Each structure stands twice: as C-alpha cells, then as structure tokens.
Amino acid sequence: MQSSQNEIKNTSFDFQTQLDKQLEGFDEKHPPKQDLIDTCVHCGFCLSTCPSYRVIGKEMDSPRGRIYLMDAINKGEAALTEATTEHFDSCLGCLACVSTCPSGVEYDKLIAATRPQVERNQPRSLWDKLYRSLIFNLFPYPKRLRPLLMVLWLYQISGLQKLIRGTGWLKFFSPRLAAMESILPNIKLQNLWQELPDIIPAQNQKRYRVGMILGCVQRLFFSPVNEATARVLTANGCEVVIPKTQGCCAALPAHQGQENQAQALAKQMIDSFADTDVDYIIINAAGCGHTLKEYAHILQDDPEYKAKAEAFVAKVRDVNEFLAEVGLTAELSPITPEPTTLVYQDACHLLHGQKISLQPRQLLRNIPDITLKEPVDAALCCGSAGVYNMLQPQVADELGQQKVDNLLNTGAKMIASSNPGCSLQIVKHLKLQGKEMKVKHPMELLDASIRGEKIEI
Ligand code: SF4
Ligand code: SF4
C-alpha cells in the first residue's frame, strides 16, 4: 500500500516537473519587452507584406502571430517548445513588417530579443545543431572558408558538381545541404587571394578619410565588388583605409541569435578601426551594414565596449547612403554601347532595416543612358535573408522564384543588387528558370561608368 502511494506521489511529481518543463519560457536575460509587445493592436496590416505568411499562410508564421506567441510565453501561458520555436525560425528577419506597421511596433527589437532566447533555452536536434554549427564556424571566418573554397573549386572544375546537380542526389540526402550547394557561385581562384592595400590614396582633392569593411562572404565570393567600391570612393575624393585585422561584421550570428559569437566579432571589428582616425566607416553589403549599425545594442551589457560601440555606429554608412550624401564628383559615362534598362532590387536590410531606398536609385540614375525600372513587390524579400535560404530552403525557394519573376517582368536588361546574399539567391533562381542576366552591385556599375568601361549585356 505504502509503495503504491509512493508510486502515485512520484508519478504526480514527475508530471509536475514535466509540466514545469513544458511551460518553461524565456529566461531573465533581455526577453522581448512587454511594453513593445503591447504596442501591437493586432490590426493585421502587416500580414500581406510578410513573406513567411505569404508562403506558409498561417497566422503563427506572421508578425502578429509571432507577437501573440511572445506575449503568451512572456506571461507564462505558452512554453518555448520545438513547436513554438518553429514559428520564430520561419521568420526571415526581413523587417517588412516594421516598415508597414501603422502603430510603429518595433518587431525588429522583439525578434532580436527572441532569437538568443531560443538558442539558449530550446535544444535543437543533433542534425540541426551540426548543420548550424557548420554554418557558424565556417562562413564568418574567411581564413577557414578559403581552404574549403579551394576544394569546392576542384569540385566545380572536375565536373563533379554537374554530376551531383544532375542526379539530384544531394536534395534527396539533405535538402538543406542541397540548398547550400545550390547557391555556390562559380569560384575563381584569383578572387580568393586578392588583397586590397591598407591605404588607398584619394584621387584629385581629398575630401574624406574613410574606413572600408570587406565582409566575409563579400571578400571571397565578390572581391570585384570590393575593388569597385574602393575605386569609386577614391575617384570621389576619399582616402580609403582597410585594416586587415577586421573579421566578420557579426551579421550572420547576430541574425540567428548566436549572441556570444556576435559580441566577440563586433568587438574585433571595433578594435580594428580603433586607431584609424577615419571620418566614416563604409560598408557595401546591406545585411552587414544593418548589423554594424546595431553594435550599440549587441554590446549593450558590455561596460568596456558600450561607448566604443556607440562611437563606431555614429560613423557607419552604407556606401550608397554615403555617396548620395556627399555627392559624386567623378565624371560618369555610359556603360553600354546603346541606352539600356536596369532594375534595382531592394535588399531588405537596406530598405526596411536602414530605410535606404532612394539613394542607390539616385546614384544609378546619374549613369548616362540608363533607365531604371521598378518591379512589382519591390519590398518583398527574395528569400536569401542571411542564411535563411540554407536553413529554410522551401520557403526561400518560393520567394526566390517570385522575386526573379518580378524582376524579369520589368523587361530590364540588367539587375542591380546591394547585398551579396540577394545576388547569390537571384543568380540561382535565374539559372533555375534558364535565364541569363547580369546581376551587378551598384558600385560595379558606377565604377564602370567612372572608368569608361562597357558592360556586355
Ligand atoms: S505588428 Fe503592427 S501591423 Fe501588425 S498586427 Fe501589430 S499593430 Fe498591426
Ligand atoms: S521580419 Fe519579415 S518574415 Fe519576419 S515577421 Fe516581419 S515581415 Fe514577416
């Protein structure tokens, strides 16, 4: 009798522990702020502009649904479980909802507070953990990525890539690995070692001394964009300083809630520019620029770096933003033999994250014989969203396909994009649709225009 009573007691204790465990929510370290959550009046205006809602079609995968979830978890009415985490993971972090919301709900702050909570408190499956750790231990470190890219170069030139893609075997084995492979651009060995000098003098009269951020993916996959950016800056009176101690800007781990890694990388970046005495710090990648401007928030609890981060942020400018602000002084000439059309693709972290949309268009309109076209749904994410297309390939593919359709429907002959992730995503979906079209960074177009080079369409 005594033993069965103990059994009942133990069972009910286990059940209570289980229940407590199930209702575990956010921990005390900066959960999403209740006063920010309470600014949402649940009107639903944001739903139609939310890419995850448009593809998945469920309330819980919309901004409003996620805010409901945060609220319920904060109040102990729902737990942080695998099921709730799924809805936070499906958010692209594109911030279209922030631009749309008539009540000024700061969803960017809410999701930025939620992601580290998920990473700290919700265990992931072994395979998910391994895959994420591959991404976070590789992409933000050019020194680690470079040797792997050499192997991948062999993979491409040996014909193995063609074979693997042709059989579709990788997709069957792991859709996520297949997604990672599918955005791999053609690797050029010479790009892996191209180093810009530490200081590049201004051409003609010096107007500014600016620091330049190289990015991690940008410097390996898109080194011509960095070279073009440096040339455009120097041609417009800037002395360009490029500290080689700089690493990744922290965008990748910051967007996925990898707090400690993001803080370490942000500190390294601040230290790299500490003694450079530059007027501005220039970045040519939209996602990186948004994170660089968030350093004061990323390092808010660090007494040593908080003020340094604020001073750093005050100097950060997206390259389009900077050039539009200070004005072009270099002469521009046509970049194609005949007048042509161009469509500018808004990167979310520039458009919604930094409210920069007019500046790149204004710069591109300065190029003679270029007519700018506007796509339908210009404010909708292309599905790249940092590493989202590697983590949530199905949603990302649908968005990528829609974006490319909309860009092609403008009838433009070229695409301009200010973010390496968007460029990779667009190139992938152009290829999938059997279309060939040049995708260029606005700095490459301006550089060609300054140097009098012609671009083959
Ligand atoms: S986030 Fe803004 S737009 Fe969306 S439901 Fe809340 S108040 Fe409405
Ligand atoms: S950030 Fe983008 S994907 Fe996430 S809720 Fe807002 S609009 Fe939707």
CSV table of all heavy atoms in Angstrom, one decimal, residues 100-157:
chain,number,residue,atom,x,y,z
A,100,THR,N,5.8,48.4,-42.5
A,100,THR,CA,4.3,48.5,-42.7
A,100,THR,C,3.5,48.9,-41.5
A,100,THR,O,2.4,49.6,-41.7
A,100,THR,CB,3.8,47.1,-43.1
A,100,THR,OG1,4.7,46.5,-44.0
A,100,THR,CG2,2.4,47.2,-43.8
A,101,CYS,N,3.9,48.6,-40.4
A,101,CYS,CA,3.1,48.7,-39.2
A,101,CYS,C,2.6,50.2,-38.9
A,101,CYS,O,3.5,51.0,-38.6
A,101,CYS,CB,3.8,48.1,-38.0
A,101,CYS,SG,2.8,48.3,-36.5
A,102,PRO,N,1.4,50.5,-38.9
A,102,PRO,CA,0.9,51.8,-38.7
A,102,PRO,C,1.1,52.2,-37.2
A,102,PRO,O,1.0,53.4,-36.9
A,102,PRO,CB,-0.6,51.8,-39.1
A,102,PRO,CG,-1.0,50.4,-39.1
A,102,PRO,CD,0.2,49.6,-39.2
A,103,SER,N,1.2,51.2,-36.3
A,103,SER,CA,1.3,51.5,-34.9
A,103,SER,C,2.8,51.6,-34.4
A,103,SER,O,3.0,51.8,-33.3
A,103,SER,CB,0.6,50.5,-34.1
A,103,SER,OG,-0.7,50.3,-34.5
A,104,GLY,N,3.7,51.5,-35.4
A,104,GLY,CA,5.1,51.6,-35.0
A,104,GLY,C,5.6,50.5,-34.1
A,104,GLY,O,6.5,50.8,-33.3
A,105,VAL,N,5.1,49.3,-34.3
A,105,VAL,CA,5.6,48.2,-33.5
A,105,VAL,C,7.0,47.9,-33.9
A,105,VAL,O,7.3,47.7,-35.0
A,105,VAL,CB,4.7,46.9,-33.6
A,105,VAL,CG1,5.3,45.8,-32.9
A,105,VAL,CG2,3.3,47.2,-33.1
A,106,GLU,N,7.9,47.8,-32.9
A,106,GLU,CA,9.3,47.6,-33.2
A,106,GLU,C,9.6,46.1,-33.1
A,106,GLU,O,10.2,45.5,-32.2
A,106,GLU,CB,10.2,48.3,-32.2
A,106,GLU,CG,10.1,49.8,-32.3
A,106,GLU,CD,10.9,50.6,-31.3
A,106,GLU,OE1,10.5,50.6,-30.1
A,106,GLU,OE2,11.9,51.2,-31.7
A,107,TYR,N,9.1,45.4,-34.2
A,107,TYR,CA,9.2,44.0,-34.3
A,107,TYR,C,10.7,43.6,-34.4
A,107,TYR,O,11.1,42.5,-34.0
A,107,TYR,CB,8.4,43.4,-35.5
A,107,TYR,CG,8.6,42.0,-35.7
A,107,TYR,CD1,7.7,41.1,-35.0
A,107,TYR,CD2,9.6,41.4,-36.5
A,107,TYR,CE1,7.9,39.7,-35.2
A,107,TYR,CE2,9.8,40.1,-36.7
A,107,TYR,CZ,8.9,39.2,-36.0
A,107,TYR,OH,9.1,37.8,-36.2
A,108,ASP,N,11.5,44.5,-35.0
A,108,ASP,CA,12.9,44.2,-35.1
A,108,ASP,C,13.5,43.9,-33.7
A,108,ASP,O,14.3,43.0,-33.5
A,108,ASP,CB,13.7,45.3,-35.8
A,108,ASP,CG,13.4,46.7,-35.3
A,108,ASP,OD1,12.3,46.9,-34.6
A,108,ASP,OD2,14.2,47.6,-35.6
A,109,LYS,N,13.1,44.7,-32.7
A,109,LYS,CA,13.7,44.6,-31.4
A,109,LYS,C,13.1,43.3,-30.7
A,109,LYS,O,13.8,42.6,-30.0
A,109,LYS,CB,13.3,45.8,-30.5
A,109,LYS,CG,14.1,47.0,-31.0
A,109,LYS,CD,14.1,48.1,-30.0
A,109,LYS,CE,14.9,49.3,-30.5
A,109,LYS,NZ,14.3,50.6,-30.3
A,110,LEU,N,11.9,43.0,-31.1
A,110,LEU,CA,11.2,41.9,-30.4
A,110,LEU,C,11.9,40.6,-30.9
A,110,LEU,O,12.2,39.7,-30.2
A,110,LEU,CB,9.7,41.9,-30.8
A,110,LEU,CG,8.9,43.0,-30.1
A,110,LEU,CD1,7.5,43.0,-30.6
A,110,LEU,CD2,8.9,42.8,-28.6
A,111,ILE,N,12.1,40.5,-32.2
A,111,ILE,CA,12.6,39.2,-32.8
A,111,ILE,C,14.1,39.1,-32.4
A,111,ILE,O,14.6,38.0,-32.1
A,111,ILE,CB,12.4,39.0,-34.3
A,111,ILE,CG1,12.7,37.6,-34.8
A,111,ILE,CG2,13.1,40.0,-35.1
A,111,ILE,CD1,11.7,36.6,-34.3
A,112,ALA,N,14.8,40.3,-32.3
A,112,ALA,CA,16.2,40.2,-31.9
A,112,ALA,C,16.4,39.8,-30.5
A,112,ALA,O,17.3,39.1,-30.1
A,112,ALA,CB,16.8,41.6,-32.1
A,113,ALA,N,15.4,40.1,-29.7
A,113,ALA,CA,15.4,39.6,-28.3
A,113,ALA,C,15.0,38.1,-28.2
A,113,ALA,O,15.5,37.4,-27.3
A,113,ALA,CB,14.5,40.4,-27.4
A,114,THR,N,14.1,37.7,-29.1
A,114,THR,CA,13.6,36.3,-29.0
A,114,THR,C,14.7,35.3,-29.5
A,114,THR,O,14.8,34.2,-28.9
A,114,THR,CB,12.4,36.2,-29.9
A,114,THR,OG1,11.4,37.2,-29.4
A,114,THR,CG2,11.7,34.8,-29.8
A,115,ARG,N,15.4,35.6,-30.5
A,115,ARG,CA,16.3,34.6,-31.1
A,115,ARG,C,17.4,34.1,-30.1
A,115,ARG,O,17.5,32.9,-30.0
A,115,ARG,CB,17.0,35.2,-32.4
A,115,ARG,CG,16.0,35.6,-33.5
A,115,ARG,CD,16.5,35.0,-34.8
A,115,ARG,NE,15.9,35.7,-36.0
A,115,ARG,CZ,14.9,35.2,-36.7
A,115,ARG,NH1,14.4,34.0,-36.4
A,115,ARG,NH2,14.5,35.8,-37.8
A,116,PRO,N,18.1,35.0,-29.4
A,116,PRO,CA,19.0,34.4,-28.4
A,116,PRO,C,18.3,33.6,-27.3
A,116,PRO,O,18.9,32.6,-26.8
A,116,PRO,CB,19.7,35.6,-27.8
A,116,PRO,CG,19.4,36.8,-28.6
A,116,PRO,CD,18.1,36.4,-29.4
A,117,GLN,N,17.1,33.9,-27.0
A,117,GLN,CA,16.3,33.1,-26.0
A,117,GLN,C,16.1,31.7,-26.5
A,117,GLN,O,16.3,30.7,-25.8
A,117,GLN,CB,14.9,33.8,-25.8
A,117,GLN,CG,15.0,35.1,-25.0
A,117,GLN,CD,15.2,34.9,-23.5
A,117,GLN,OE1,15.0,33.8,-23.0
A,117,GLN,NE2,15.4,36.0,-22.8
A,118,VAL,N,15.7,31.6,-27.8
A,118,VAL,CA,15.5,30.3,-28.5
A,118,VAL,C,16.8,29.5,-28.4
A,118,VAL,O,16.9,28.4,-28.1
A,118,VAL,CB,15.0,30.5,-29.9
A,118,VAL,CG1,15.1,29.2,-30.7
A,118,VAL,CG2,13.6,31.1,-29.9
A,119,GLU,N,17.9,30.2,-28.8
A,119,GLU,CA,19.2,29.5,-28.9
A,119,GLU,C,19.6,29.0,-27.5
A,119,GLU,O,20.2,27.9,-27.4
A,119,GLU,CB,20.3,30.4,-29.5
A,119,GLU,CG,20.1,30.7,-31.0
A,119,GLU,CD,19.7,29.5,-31.8
A,119,GLU,OE1,20.4,28.5,-31.8
A,119,GLU,OE2,18.7,29.6,-32.6
A,120,ARG,N,19.3,29.8,-26.5
A,120,ARG,CA,19.8,29.4,-25.1
A,120,ARG,C,18.9,28.3,-24.5
A,120,ARG,O,19.3,27.4,-23.8
A,120,ARG,CB,19.7,30.6,-24.2
A,120,ARG,CG,21.0,31.5,-24.2
A,120,ARG,CD,21.0,32.4,-23.0
A,120,ARG,NE,19.9,33.2,-22.8
A,120,ARG,CZ,19.8,34.4,-23.4
A,120,ARG,NH1,20.8,34.9,-24.1
A,120,ARG,NH2,18.7,35.2,-23.2
A,121,ASN,N,17.6,28.4,-24.8
A,121,ASN,CA,16.6,27.6,-24.0
A,121,ASN,C,15.9,26.5,-24.7
A,121,ASN,O,15.2,25.7,-24.1
A,121,ASN,CB,15.6,28.6,-23.4
A,121,ASN,CG,16.2,29.6,-22.5
A,121,ASN,OD1,17.0,29.3,-21.7
A,121,ASN,ND2,15.9,30.9,-22.7
A,122,GLN,N,16.1,26.4,-26.0
A,122,GLN,CA,15.4,25.4,-26.8
A,122,GLN,C,16.4,24.5,-27.5
A,122,GLN,O,17.0,24.9,-28.4
A,122,GLN,CB,14.4,26.0,-27.8
A,122,GLN,CG,13.7,25.0,-28.7
A,122,GLN,CD,12.9,24.0,-27.9
A,122,GLN,OE1,12.3,24.3,-26.8
A,122,GLN,NE2,13.0,22.7,-28.3
A,123,PRO,N,16.5,23.2,-26.9
A,123,PRO,CA,17.5,22.3,-27.6
A,123,PRO,C,17.1,22.0,-29.0
A,123,PRO,O,15.9,21.8,-29.3
A,123,PRO,CB,17.5,21.1,-26.7
A,123,PRO,CG,16.4,21.2,-25.8
A,123,PRO,CD,15.8,22.6,-25.8
A,124,ARG,N,18.1,21.9,-29.9
A,124,ARG,CA,17.8,21.6,-31.3
A,124,ARG,C,18.2,20.1,-31.5
A,124,ARG,O,19.1,19.6,-30.7
A,124,ARG,CB,18.6,22.5,-32.2
A,124,ARG,CG,18.1,24.0,-32.1
A,124,ARG,CD,18.6,24.8,-33.2
A,124,ARG,NE,18.2,26.2,-33.2
A,124,ARG,CZ,17.1,26.6,-33.7
A,124,ARG,NH1,16.2,25.8,-34.3
A,124,ARG,NH2,16.7,27.9,-33.5
A,125,SER,N,17.7,19.5,-32.5
A,125,SER,CA,18.1,18.1,-32.8
A,125,SER,C,19.6,18.1,-33.2
A,125,SER,O,20.2,19.1,-33.6
A,125,SER,CB,17.2,17.6,-34.0
A,125,SER,OG,17.7,18.3,-35.2
A,126,LEU,N,20.1,16.9,-33.1
A,126,LEU,CA,21.6,16.7,-33.3
A,126,LEU,C,21.9,17.2,-34.7
A,126,LEU,O,22.9,18.0,-34.9
A,126,LEU,CB,21.9,15.3,-33.1
A,126,LEU,CG,23.4,15.0,-33.3
A,126,LEU,CD1,24.3,15.6,-32.3
A,126,LEU,CD2,23.7,13.5,-33.3
A,127,TRP,N,21.2,16.8,-35.7
A,127,TRP,CA,21.5,17.2,-37.1
A,127,TRP,C,21.4,18.7,-37.3
A,127,TRP,O,22.2,19.3,-38.0
A,127,TRP,CB,20.5,16.4,-38.1
A,127,TRP,CG,20.6,16.8,-39.5
A,127,TRP,CD1,19.6,17.2,-40.3
A,127,TRP,CD2,21.8,16.8,-40.3
A,127,TRP,NE1,20.1,17.5,-41.5
A,127,TRP,CE2,21.5,17.3,-41.6
A,127,TRP,CE3,23.2,16.5,-40.1
A,127,TRP,CZ2,22.4,17.4,-42.6
A,127,TRP,CZ3,24.1,16.6,-41.1
A,127,TRP,CH2,23.7,17.1,-42.4
A,128,ASP,N,20.3,19.3,-36.7
A,128,ASP,CA,20.2,20.7,-36.8
A,128,ASP,C,21.3,21.5,-36.2
A,128,ASP,O,21.9,22.4,-36.7
A,128,ASP,CB,18.8,21.1,-36.1
A,128,ASP,CG,18.4,22.5,-36.5
A,128,ASP,OD1,18.9,23.1,-37.4
A,128,ASP,OD2,17.5,23.1,-35.8
A,129,LYS,N,21.7,21.0,-35.0
A,129,LYS,CA,22.9,21.5,-34.3
A,129,LYS,C,24.1,21.5,-35.1
A,129,LYS,O,24.9,22.4,-35.3
A,129,LYS,CB,23.1,20.8,-33.0
A,129,LYS,CG,23.0,21.7,-31.7
A,129,LYS,CD,23.5,20.9,-30.5
A,129,LYS,CE,22.3,20.4,-29.8
A,129,LYS,NZ,22.5,19.5,-28.7
A,130,LEU,N,24.4,20.3,-35.7
A,130,LEU,CA,25.6,20.1,-36.5
A,130,LEU,C,25.6,21.0,-37.7
A,130,LEU,O,26.6,21.7,-38.1
A,130,LEU,CB,25.7,18.6,-37.0
A,130,LEU,CG,26.1,17.6,-36.0
A,130,LEU,CD1,26.0,16.2,-36.6
A,130,LEU,CD2,27.6,17.9,-35.6
A,131,TYR,N,24.4,21.1,-38.4
A,131,TYR,CA,24.3,21.9,-39.6
A,131,TYR,C,24.6,23.4,-39.3
A,131,TYR,O,25.3,24.1,-39.9
A,131,TYR,CB,23.0,21.7,-40.2
A,131,TYR,CG,22.8,22.4,-41.5
A,131,TYR,CD1,23.4,22.0,-42.7
A,131,TYR,CD2,21.9,23.5,-41.6
A,131,TYR,CE1,23.2,22.6,-43.9
A,131,TYR,CE2,21.8,24.2,-42.9
A,131,TYR,CZ,22.4,23.7,-44.0
A,131,TYR,OH,22.2,24.3,-45.2
A,132,ARG,N,23.9,23.9,-38.2
A,132,ARG,CA,24.1,25.3,-37.8
A,132,ARG,C,25.5,25.5,-37.3
A,132,ARG,O,26.1,26.5,-37.6
A,132,ARG,CB,23.1,25.6,-36.6
A,132,ARG,CG,21.7,25.8,-37.1
A,132,ARG,CD,20.7,25.9,-35.9
A,132,ARG,NE,19.4,25.9,-36.4
A,132,ARG,CZ,18.7,27.0,-36.7
A,132,ARG,NH1,19.2,28.2,-36.5
A,132,ARG,NH2,17.5,26.9,-37.2
A,133,SER,N,26.1,24.6,-36.6
A,133,SER,CA,27.5,24.8,-36.2
A,133,SER,C,28.4,24.8,-37.4
A,133,SER,O,29.4,25.6,-37.4
A,133,SER,CB,27.9,23.8,-35.1
A,133,SER,OG,28.7,22.9,-35.5
A,134,LEU,N,28.1,24.1,-38.4
A,134,LEU,CA,28.9,24.2,-39.7
A,134,LEU,C,28.9,25.6,-40.2
A,134,LEU,O,29.9,26.2,-40.6
A,134,LEU,CB,28.4,23.1,-40.7
A,134,LEU,CG,29.0,23.2,-42.1
A,134,LEU,CD1,30.4,22.6,-42.1
A,134,LEU,CD2,28.1,22.5,-43.1
A,135,ILE,N,27.6,26.1,-40.3
A,135,ILE,CA,27.5,27.5,-40.9
A,135,ILE,C,28.2,28.5,-40.0
A,135,ILE,O,28.9,29.3,-40.5
A,135,ILE,CB,25.9,27.8,-40.9
A,135,ILE,CG1,25.3,27.0,-42.0
A,135,ILE,CG2,25.7,29.3,-41.2
A,135,ILE,CD1,23.8,27.2,-42.1
A,136,PHE,N,28.0,28.4,-38.7
A,136,PHE,CA,28.5,29.5,-37.8
A,136,PHE,C,30.0,29.4,-37.6
A,136,PHE,O,30.7,30.3,-37.2
A,136,PHE,CB,27.8,29.5,-36.5
A,136,PHE,CG,26.3,29.9,-36.6
A,136,PHE,CD1,25.3,29.0,-36.2
A,136,PHE,CD2,25.9,31.0,-37.3
A,136,PHE,CE1,24.0,29.3,-36.4
A,136,PHE,CE2,24.6,31.3,-37.5
A,136,PHE,CZ,23.6,30.5,-37.0
A,137,ASN,N,30.6,28.2,-37.8
A,137,ASN,CA,32.0,28.0,-37.6
A,137,ASN,C,32.8,28.2,-38.9
A,137,ASN,O,34.0,28.2,-38.9
A,137,ASN,CB,32.3,26.7,-37.0
A,137,ASN,CG,32.0,26.7,-35.5
A,137,ASN,OD1,32.6,27.5,-34.8
A,137,ASN,ND2,31.1,25.9,-35.1
A,138,LEU,N,32.0,28.4,-40.0
A,138,LEU,CA,32.7,28.5,-41.3
A,138,LEU,C,32.6,29.9,-41.9
A,138,LEU,O,33.5,30.6,-42.2
A,138,LEU,CB,32.1,27.4,-42.2
A,138,LEU,CG,32.9,26.9,-43.4
A,138,LEU,CD1,34.2,26.4,-42.9
A,138,LEU,CD2,32.1,25.8,-44.1
A,139,PHE,N,31.3,30.3,-42.2
A,139,PHE,CA,31.1,31.5,-43.0
A,139,PHE,C,31.7,32.8,-42.4
A,139,PHE,O,32.1,33.6,-43.2
A,139,PHE,CB,29.6,31.6,-43.3
A,139,PHE,CG,29.1,30.6,-44.3
A,139,PHE,CD1,28.6,29.4,-44.0
A,139,PHE,CD2,29.3,30.9,-45.7
A,139,PHE,CE1,28.1,28.5,-44.9
A,139,PHE,CE2,28.8,30.0,-46.6
A,139,PHE,CZ,28.3,28.8,-46.2
A,140,PRO,N,31.6,33.0,-41.1
A,140,PRO,CA,32.1,34.3,-40.6
A,140,PRO,C,33.7,34.3,-40.6
A,140,PRO,O,34.2,35.3,-40.1
A,140,PRO,CB,31.6,34.4,-39.2
A,140,PRO,CG,30.5,33.3,-39.1
A,140,PRO,CD,30.9,32.2,-40.0
A,141,TYR,N,34.4,33.3,-41.0
A,141,TYR,CA,35.8,33.2,-40.9
A,141,TYR,C,36.5,33.0,-42.2
A,141,TYR,O,36.7,31.8,-42.6
A,141,TYR,CB,36.2,32.1,-39.9
A,141,TYR,CG,35.5,32.3,-38.5
A,141,TYR,CD1,34.4,31.6,-38.2
A,141,TYR,CD2,36.0,33.3,-37.6
A,141,TYR,CE1,33.8,31.8,-37.0
A,141,TYR,CE2,35.4,33.5,-36.4
A,141,TYR,CZ,34.2,32.7,-36.1
A,141,TYR,OH,33.6,32.9,-34.9
A,142,PRO,N,36.9,34.0,-42.9
A,142,PRO,CA,37.4,33.9,-44.3
A,142,PRO,C,38.6,32.9,-44.3
A,142,PRO,O,38.8,32.2,-45.2
A,142,PRO,CB,37.8,35.3,-44.6
A,142,PRO,CG,37.0,36.2,-43.8
A,142,PRO,CD,36.7,35.4,-42.6
A,143,LYS,N,39.4,32.9,-43.2
A,143,LYS,CA,40.6,32.0,-43.2
A,143,LYS,C,40.2,30.5,-43.2
A,143,LYS,O,41.0,29.7,-43.6
A,143,LYS,CB,41.5,32.3,-41.9
A,143,LYS,CG,42.3,33.5,-42.1
A,143,LYS,CD,43.3,33.7,-41.0
A,143,LYS,CE,44.1,35.0,-41.1
A,143,LYS,NZ,44.5,35.5,-39.9
A,144,ARG,N,39.1,30.2,-42.6
A,144,ARG,CA,38.6,28.8,-42.6
A,144,ARG,C,37.9,28.5,-44.0
A,144,ARG,O,38.0,27.4,-44.5
A,144,ARG,CB,37.6,28.6,-41.5
A,144,ARG,CG,38.2,28.7,-40.1
A,144,ARG,CD,37.2,28.5,-39.1
A,144,ARG,NE,37.6,29.0,-37.8
A,144,ARG,CZ,36.8,29.2,-36.7
A,144,ARG,NH1,35.6,28.8,-36.8
A,144,ARG,NH2,37.3,29.7,-35.6
A,145,LEU,N,37.2,29.5,-44.5
A,145,LEU,CA,36.4,29.3,-45.7
A,145,LEU,C,37.3,29.2,-46.9
A,145,LEU,O,36.9,28.4,-47.8
A,145,LEU,CB,35.4,30.5,-45.8
A,145,LEU,CG,34.2,30.4,-46.8
A,145,LEU,CD1,33.4,29.1,-46.5
A,145,LEU,CD2,33.4,31.6,-46.7
A,146,ARG,N,38.4,29.9,-46.9
A,146,ARG,CA,39.2,29.9,-48.1
A,146,ARG,C,39.7,28.5,-48.5
A,146,ARG,O,39.5,28.1,-49.7
A,146,ARG,CB,40.4,30.8,-47.9
A,146,ARG,CG,41.1,31.3,-49.1
A,146,ARG,CD,42.2,32.3,-48.9
A,146,ARG,NE,41.6,33.7,-48.8
A,146,ARG,CZ,41.8,34.5,-47.8
A,146,ARG,NH1,42.5,34.2,-46.7
A,146,ARG,NH2,41.3,35.7,-47.8
A,147,PRO,N,40.3,27.7,-47.6
A,147,PRO,CA,40.7,26.3,-48.0
A,147,PRO,C,39.5,25.5,-48.5
A,147,PRO,O,39.7,24.7,-49.4
A,147,PRO,CB,41.3,25.7,-46.7
A,147,PRO,CG,41.4,26.8,-45.7
A,147,PRO,CD,40.6,28.0,-46.2
A,148,LEU,N,38.4,25.6,-47.9
A,148,LEU,CA,37.2,24.8,-48.3
A,148,LEU,C,36.8,25.3,-49.7
A,148,LEU,O,36.5,24.4,-50.6
A,148,LEU,CB,36.0,25.1,-47.4
A,148,LEU,CG,34.8,24.4,-47.8
A,148,LEU,CD1,34.9,22.9,-47.6
A,148,LEU,CD2,33.5,24.9,-47.0
A,149,LEU,N,36.9,26.6,-50.0
A,149,LEU,CA,36.6,27.0,-51.4
A,149,LEU,C,37.5,26.5,-52.4
A,149,LEU,O,37.1,26.2,-53.6
A,149,LEU,CB,36.5,28.5,-51.4
A,149,LEU,CG,35.3,29.2,-50.6
A,149,LEU,CD1,35.4,30.7,-50.7
A,149,LEU,CD2,34.0,28.6,-51.1
A,150,MET,N,38.8,26.2,-52.0
A,150,MET,CA,39.7,25.6,-53.0
A,150,MET,C,39.2,24.2,-53.3
A,150,MET,O,39.3,23.7,-54.5
A,150,MET,CB,41.1,25.6,-52.4
A,150,MET,CG,41.7,26.9,-52.4
A,150,MET,SD,43.2,27.0,-51.4
A,150,MET,CE,44.3,25.9,-52.4
A,151,VAL,N,38.8,23.5,-52.3
A,151,VAL,CA,38.2,22.1,-52.5
A,151,VAL,C,37.0,22.2,-53.4
A,151,VAL,O,36.8,21.4,-54.4
A,151,VAL,CB,37.9,21.4,-51.2
A,151,VAL,CG1,37.3,20.0,-51.4
A,151,VAL,CG2,39.1,21.3,-50.3
A,152,LEU,N,36.2,23.2,-53.1
A,152,LEU,CA,34.9,23.3,-53.9
A,152,LEU,C,35.2,23.8,-55.4
A,152,LEU,O,34.5,23.5,-56.3
A,152,LEU,CB,34.0,24.3,-53.2
A,152,LEU,CG,33.4,23.8,-51.9
A,152,LEU,CD1,32.6,24.9,-51.2
A,152,LEU,CD2,32.4,22.6,-52.2
A,153,TRP,N,36.3,24.5,-55.5
A,153,TRP,CA,36.8,24.9,-56.9
A,153,TRP,C,37.1,23.6,-57.7
A,153,TRP,O,36.7,23.5,-58.8
A,153,TRP,CB,38.0,25.8,-56.8
A,153,TRP,CG,38.6,26.1,-58.1
A,153,TRP,CD1,38.2,27.0,-59.0
A,153,TRP,CD2,39.9,25.5,-58.6
A,153,TRP,NE1,39.1,27.0,-60.1
A,153,TRP,CE2,40.1,26.1,-59.8
A,153,TRP,CE3,40.8,24.6,-58.1
A,153,TRP,CZ2,41.2,25.8,-60.6
A,153,TRP,CZ3,41.9,24.3,-58.9
A,153,TRP,CH2,42.1,24.9,-60.1
A,154,LEU,N,37.8,22.7,-57.0
A,154,LEU,CA,38.1,21.4,-57.7
A,154,LEU,C,36.8,20.6,-58.0
A,154,LEU,O,36.6,20.0,-59.0
A,154,LEU,CB,39.0,20.5,-56.8
A,154,LEU,CG,40.4,20.9,-56.7
A,154,LEU,CD1,41.2,20.1,-55.6
A,154,LEU,CD2,41.1,20.7,-58.1
A,155,TYR,N,35.9,20.7,-57.0
A,155,TYR,CA,34.6,20.0,-57.2
A,155,TYR,C,33.8,20.6,-58.4
A,155,TYR,O,33.2,19.9,-59.2
A,155,TYR,CB,33.8,20.3,-55.9
A,155,TYR,CG,32.3,20.1,-55.9
A,155,TYR,CD1,31.7,18.9,-56.0
A,155,TYR,CD2,31.4,21.2,-55.9
A,155,TYR,CE1,30.3,18.7,-56.0
A,155,TYR,CE2,30.1,21.1,-55.9
A,155,TYR,CZ,29.5,19.8,-55.9
A,155,TYR,OH,28.1,19.7,-55.9
A,156,GLN,N,34.0,21.9,-58.6
A,156,GLN,CA,33.4,22.5,-59.8
A,156,GLN,C,34.1,22.2,-61.1
A,156,GLN,O,33.4,21.8,-62.1
A,156,GLN,CB,33.3,24.1,-59.6
A,156,GLN,CG,32.3,24.5,-58.6
A,156,GLN,CD,32.1,26.0,-58.5
A,156,GLN,OE1,33.1,26.7,-58.7
A,156,GLN,NE2,31.0,26.4,-58.0
A,157,ILE,N,35.4,22.4,-61.1
A,157,ILE,CA,36.1,22.2,-62.4
A,157,ILE,C,36.2,20.7,-62.8
A,157,ILE,O,36.4,20.4,-64.0
A,157,ILE,CB,37.5,22.8,-62.5
A,157,ILE,CG1,38.4,22.3,-61.4
A,157,ILE,CG2,37.4,24.3,-62.4
A,157,ILE,CD1,39.9,22.3,-61.8
